[in-house]
PDB file of all heavy atoms in Angstrom:
ATOM      1  N   PHE B  24     -19.938  10.714  19.363  1.00 96.00           N
ATOM      2  CA  PHE B  24     -21.198  10.458  18.732  1.00 96.00           C
ATOM      3  C   PHE B  24     -21.979  11.768  18.534  1.00 96.00           C
ATOM      4  O   PHE B  24     -22.553  12.094  17.480  1.00 96.00           O
ATOM      5  CB  PHE B  24     -22.023   9.476  19.543  1.00 96.00           C
ATOM      6  CG  PHE B  24     -23.415   9.235  19.055  1.00 96.00           C
ATOM      7  CD1 PHE B  24     -23.633   8.406  17.968  1.00 96.00           C
ATOM      8  CD2 PHE B  24     -24.502   9.812  19.708  1.00 96.00           C
ATOM      9  CE1 PHE B  24     -24.928   8.189  17.540  1.00 96.00           C
ATOM     10  CE2 PHE B  24     -25.779   9.618  19.242  1.00 96.00           C
ATOM     11  CZ  PHE B  24     -26.048   8.796  18.141  1.00 96.00           C
ATOM     12  N   GLU B  25     -21.915  12.571  19.609  1.00 97.00           N
ATOM     13  CA  GLU B  25     -22.623  13.924  19.640  1.00 97.00           C
ATOM     14  C   GLU B  25     -21.996  14.767  18.527  1.00 97.00           C
ATOM     15  O   GLU B  25     -22.671  15.458  17.759  1.00 97.00           O
ATOM     16  CB  GLU B  25     -22.524  14.626  20.940  1.00 97.00           C
ATOM     17  CG  GLU B  25     -23.404  14.139  22.042  1.00 97.00           C
ATOM     18  CD  GLU B  25     -23.098  14.815  23.357  1.00 97.00           C
ATOM     19  OE1 GLU B  25     -22.803  15.988  23.364  1.00 97.00           O
ATOM     20  OE2 GLU B  25     -23.213  14.093  24.368  1.00 97.00           O
ATOM     21  N   ALA B  26     -20.661  14.779  18.461  1.00 97.00           N
ATOM     22  CA  ALA B  26     -19.890  15.645  17.538  1.00 97.00           C
ATOM     23  C   ALA B  26     -20.275  15.144  16.083  1.00 97.00           C
ATOM     24  O   ALA B  26     -20.320  15.949  15.155  1.00 97.00           O
ATOM     25  CB  ALA B  26     -18.433  15.480  17.787  1.00 97.00           C
ATOM     26  N   TYR B  27     -20.460  13.800  15.906  1.00 96.00           N
ATOM     27  CA  TYR B  27     -20.847  13.285  14.656  1.00 96.00           C
ATOM     28  C   TYR B  27     -22.248  13.783  14.243  1.00 96.00           C
ATOM     29  O   TYR B  27     -22.450  14.246  13.083  1.00 96.00           O
ATOM     30  CB  TYR B  27     -20.793  11.747  14.711  1.00 96.00           C
ATOM     31  CG  TYR B  27     -21.045  11.065  13.386  1.00 96.00           C
ATOM     32  CD1 TYR B  27     -19.910  10.818  12.526  1.00 96.00           C
ATOM     33  CD2 TYR B  27     -22.333  10.680  13.015  1.00 96.00           C
ATOM     34  CE1 TYR B  27     -20.175  10.186  11.311  1.00 96.00           C
ATOM     35  CE2 TYR B  27     -22.546  10.017  11.758  1.00 96.00           C
ATOM     36  CZ  TYR B  27     -21.422   9.796  10.951  1.00 96.00           C
ATOM     37  OH  TYR B  27     -21.634   9.143   9.719  1.00 96.00           O
ATOM     38  N   MET B  28     -23.103  13.769  15.211  1.00 95.00           N
ATOM     39  CA  MET B  28     -24.515  14.237  14.885  1.00 95.00           C
ATOM     40  C   MET B  28     -24.502  15.729  14.567  1.00 95.00           C
ATOM     41  O   MET B  28     -25.346  16.207  13.788  1.00 95.00           O
ATOM     42  CB  MET B  28     -25.436  13.912  16.085  1.00 95.00           C
ATOM     43  CG  MET B  28     -25.657  12.453  16.384  1.00 95.00           C
ATOM     44  SD  MET B  28     -25.845  11.350  15.026  1.00 95.00           S
ATOM     45  CE  MET B  28     -27.598  11.598  14.729  1.00 95.00           C
ATOM     46  N   GLU B  29     -23.602  16.409  15.249  1.00 96.00           N
ATOM     47  CA  GLU B  29     -23.518  17.896  14.890  1.00 96.00           C
ATOM     48  C   GLU B  29     -22.644  18.090  13.552  1.00 96.00           C
ATOM     49  O   GLU B  29     -22.355  19.269  13.242  1.00 96.00           O
ATOM     50  CB  GLU B  29     -22.697  18.579  15.994  1.00 96.00           C
ATOM     51  CG  GLU B  29     -23.390  18.673  17.351  1.00 96.00           C
ATOM     52  CD  GLU B  29     -22.407  19.010  18.473  1.00 96.00           C
ATOM     53  OE1 GLU B  29     -21.232  19.453  18.151  1.00 96.00           O
ATOM     54  OE2 GLU B  29     -22.828  18.835  19.662  1.00 96.00           O
ATOM     55  N   ARG B  30     -22.249  17.047  12.954  1.00 96.00           N
ATOM     56  CA  ARG B  30     -21.475  17.079  11.713  1.00 96.00           C
ATOM     57  C   ARG B  30     -20.096  17.741  11.882  1.00 96.00           C
ATOM     58  O   ARG B  30     -19.522  18.237  10.972  1.00 96.00           O
ATOM     59  CB  ARG B  30     -22.257  17.809  10.558  1.00 96.00           C
ATOM     60  CG  ARG B  30     -23.470  17.034  10.220  1.00 96.00           C
ATOM     61  CD  ARG B  30     -24.327  17.697   9.130  1.00 96.00           C
ATOM     62  NE  ARG B  30     -25.477  16.949   8.798  1.00 96.00           N
ATOM     63  CZ  ARG B  30     -25.610  16.199   7.723  1.00 96.00           C
ATOM     64  NH1 ARG B  30     -24.595  16.114   6.836  1.00 96.00           N
ATOM     65  NH2 ARG B  30     -26.744  15.534   7.507  1.00 96.00           N
ATOM     66  N   LYS B  31     -19.580  17.700  13.119  1.00 97.00           N
ATOM     67  CA  LYS B  31     -18.227  18.095  13.375  1.00 97.00           C
ATOM     68  C   LYS B  31     -17.301  16.960  12.953  1.00 97.00           C
ATOM     69  O   LYS B  31     -16.066  17.232  12.681  1.00 97.00           O
ATOM     70  CB  LYS B  31     -18.043  18.445  14.820  1.00 97.00           C
ATOM     71  CG  LYS B  31     -18.902  19.598  15.387  1.00 97.00           C
ATOM     72  CD  LYS B  31     -18.293  20.889  15.004  1.00 97.00           C
ATOM     73  CE  LYS B  31     -19.214  22.181  15.230  1.00 97.00           C
ATOM     74  NZ  LYS B  31     -19.198  22.444  16.684  1.00 97.00           N
ATOM     75  N   VAL B  32     -17.745  15.759  12.986  1.00 97.00           N
ATOM     76  CA  VAL B  32     -16.970  14.649  12.666  1.00 97.00           C
ATOM     77  C   VAL B  32     -17.643  13.948  11.401  1.00 97.00           C
ATOM     78  O   VAL B  32     -18.825  13.744  11.334  1.00 97.00           O
ATOM     79  CB  VAL B  32     -17.026  13.619  13.879  1.00 97.00           C
ATOM     80  CG1 VAL B  32     -16.282  12.261  13.463  1.00 97.00           C
ATOM     81  CG2 VAL B  32     -16.316  14.152  15.081  1.00 97.00           C
ATOM     82  N   GLY B  33     -16.754  13.607  10.439  1.00 95.00           N
ATOM     83  CA  GLY B  33     -17.327  13.018   9.217  1.00 95.00           C
ATOM     84  C   GLY B  33     -16.947  11.530   9.079  1.00 95.00           C
ATOM     85  O   GLY B  33     -16.526  10.944  10.060  1.00 95.00           O
ATOM     86  N   GLY B  34     -17.164  11.067   7.900  1.00 95.00           N
ATOM     87  CA  GLY B  34     -16.729   9.736   7.572  1.00 95.00           C
ATOM     88  C   GLY B  34     -17.473   8.662   8.308  1.00 95.00           C
ATOM     89  O   GLY B  34     -18.667   8.797   8.611  1.00 95.00           O
ATOM     90  N   PHE B  35     -16.831   7.572   8.564  1.00 94.00           N
ATOM     91  CA  PHE B  35     -17.351   6.504   9.407  1.00 94.00           C
ATOM     92  C   PHE B  35     -16.869   6.606  10.826  1.00 94.00           C
ATOM     93  O   PHE B  35     -15.775   6.971  11.074  1.00 94.00           O
ATOM     94  CB  PHE B  35     -17.012   5.098   8.821  1.00 94.00           C
ATOM     95  CG  PHE B  35     -17.674   4.791   7.513  1.00 94.00           C
ATOM     96  CD1 PHE B  35     -16.909   4.484   6.455  1.00 94.00           C
ATOM     97  CD2 PHE B  35     -19.066   4.808   7.388  1.00 94.00           C
ATOM     98  CE1 PHE B  35     -17.582   4.115   5.230  1.00 94.00           C
ATOM     99  CE2 PHE B  35     -19.679   4.519   6.218  1.00 94.00           C
ATOM    100  CZ  PHE B  35     -18.909   4.153   5.152  1.00 94.00           C
TER     101      PHE B  35
END
Side-chain angles (χ1 to χ4, degrees):
Chain B
F24 175 77
E25 284 173 37
Y27 185 87
M28 299 314 279
E29 293 164 12
R30 296 179 181 257
K31 297 278 173 77
V32 174
F35 288 126

